[in-house]
Amino acid sequence: MTSEPMDTEVPPQPRDRSAHGGATTHPSDDGLAVRTERERVAAGLKPYASQDVPPATDPAVPDDTET
């Protein structure tokens, strides 16, 4: 190996030194589950994604009767 730096077209990204160096920005497990289910629907493996279905009942209507 040589001690010369590699010449690349991509400039190095500046690093925020105030943040923890090992912290990563992975999505949550719940977010990954939703994305996976939607991808399966898009691929035709599932008929629908449960998060995209509206509730089966209408919201409660306030009572307008006077007492």
Side-chain angles (χ1 to χ4, degrees):
M1 293 192 68
T2 64
S3 61
E4 297 176 15
M6 289 180 26
D7 291 330
T8 62
E9 299 280 330
V10 181
Q13 297 293 324
R15 197 175 120 209
D16 182 13
R17 297 192 182 268
S18 65
H20 184 269
T24 58
T25 57
H26 291 292
S28 69
D29 289 340
D30 295 332
L32 286 174
V34 169
R35 286 177 43 196
T36 302
E37 188 172 9
R38 288 182 178 154
E39 287 176 359
R40 288 179 179 159
V41 170
L45 301 174
K46 289 184 70 177
Y48 61 90
S50 59
Q51 293 82 14
D52 297 335
V53 178
T57 59
D58 292 331
V61 178
D63 188 20
D64 291 340
T65 60
E66 292 183 28
T67 56

